[in-house]
Every structure is written in C-alpha cells, then in structure tokens.
Amino acid sequence: MLLAACALTAAAGCSSDPNTDAKPEETPSSSATTSGPSPSPDPTQEAEAAAVTAYGQYWREMERLYADSNGKSDRLKKVASGLALVNAEDDARQMHEKGALIIGSVSVGDSTVTASDISRKAPKVVLTSCLDISKWQVVKADTKKPAPLPSTRLTKYVINSTLEKWGQGWVVIEDKPQEKTC
C-alpha cells in the first residue's frame, strides 16, 4: 500500500498539460497522525513460530543424517532428543547397513500448532504438518543409483511432532508419521 500511495502522490504532482496548475497537498496535523504505542508481541505466538522454524531445521539435519554414509550428525543432537533422535539415528543406521543412502530434500508444509503450553518449565508445542518426501531419493551407497521402492508408498503424509524449548532452543522430542496422505 505504501508503494501505491507513493505512486499516486507522485502522479498527482505531475500533469501532461503544462497549463494545469497543480495544487500543493495539504499536510495533516501532527495530532491526526499520532498513534499509541505498538502492541507488544504475543509470547505464545512467538514461541509457536520459533517451534515451527526449529522443526524445519530438524528436517534439514535429517537430510544430512540420511545422506551421510557414516550416519553421524552431531548437529542433529542440537535440534532433536528423546524418541525423535533415537528413531532417526536407528533408521539411518539400518539404511546405511543395507548399503543405502537417502539424498535430496524434504519439504515441510502446512505446519499447524495443535497444542502449546509455554508456561511449563520446558515450554511445549505440538505440531501437525505435511511432510513431502517426494524429492528424497533412496540410492545405493556405492553406485548412487536409485534403489527400487514400492509404488504404493506415501510420499506426502501427515506427521505429528512434539517440540520442547530447552536451554539451546527448540528441540523435536517426538515425531509420529500418520498413515494419511496430505
């Protein structure tokens, strides 16, 4: 709107007819433009937004974990703990033991906060998201050729996740894929 207002103001001062007198704009009095203090941000909304951002970071680290044949990711431990970390490390280890890697990217969309309690000692947020793994490809570690996968597997599905805020920031403590497409 600001750009439109600026463009209209600039256009009002210009005329293609040189004989037209442009009337100078009136400036409003300072009392008309004075407004009260801007509202302070809602702490719950800020916490929820930070948790959603952290969840996206968690999946960037998951991409790295599954793509690394050593299955090591100290950075994942900064954004995951509990069942989420144990399950991710176990799944990646099993994939790597079978000689497979997962490369590509994951997209997290439509993250919706379904519950939050920031008054706890460790604030907690529960999310429901749509996880899109269609660009995440299972390949053989030695040849980097695609591994065969069932054609019926879900590549976009609902996932429920629980995050808590610890000293270093928000961490995913539980990630539960739902067998529902999104």
Side-chain angles (χ1 to χ4, degrees):
M1 283 182 53
L2 182 59
L3 288 176
C6 290
L8 287 174
T9 302
C14 299
S15 173
S16 59
D17 184 359
N19 297 326
T20 304
D21 291 331
K23 193 174 175 182
E25 288 191 36
E26 294 178 25
T27 56
S29 67
S30 61
S31 62
T33 59
T34 304
S35 63
S38 60
S40 60
D42 178 3
T44 300
Q45 288 178 339
E46 284 185 334
E48 292 171 352
V52 169
T53 299
Y55 191 62
Q57 293 168 341
Y58 164 78
W59 276 102
R60 299 295 74 79
E61 294 307 322
M62 292 287 279
E63 291 171 355
R64 288 182 181 97
L65 174 70
Y66 281 92
D68 179 6
S69 61
N70 295 321
K72 303 287 182 198
S73 177
D74 291 332
R75 291 168 43 167
L76 182 62
K77 292 176 182 171
K78 293 178 182 178
V79 294
S81 189
L83 285 174
L85 180 61
V86 169
N87 290 340
E89 289 179 334
D90 284 350
D91 289 348
R93 181 185 43 76
Q94 289 174 19
M95 292 285 297
H96 298 147
E97 286 174 355
K98 293 177 183 175
L101 301 174
I102 305 179
I103 59 173
S105 62
V106 174
S107 296
V108 179
D110 300 328
S111 292
T112 303
V113 175
T114 57
S116 65
D117 184 354
I118 65 164
S119 64
R120 299 173 66 218
K121 184 176 182 179
K124 179 178 170 180
V125 171
V126 180
L127 300 176
T128 296
S129 304
C130 180
L131 193 66
D132 180 352
I133 60 168
S134 61
K135 293 185 175 126
W136 216 16
Q137 185 177 29
V138 179
V139 297
K140 295 178 182 178
D142 55 351
T143 65
K144 303 293 188 268
K145 291 186 179 180
L149 296 171
S151 61
T152 57
R153 75 184 181 106
L154 287 177
T155 58
K156 291 182 183 178
Y157 54 89
V158 176
I159 190 162
N160 296 333
S161 312
T162 303
L163 293 88
E164 288 183 345
K165 186 173 185 200
W166 294 1
Q168 74 273 17
W170 288 93
V171 293
V172 178
I173 59 170
E174 191 172 40
D175 225 7
K176 290 183 182 178
Q178 308 298 298
E179 294 184 21
K180 291 190 320 190
T181 190
C182 54

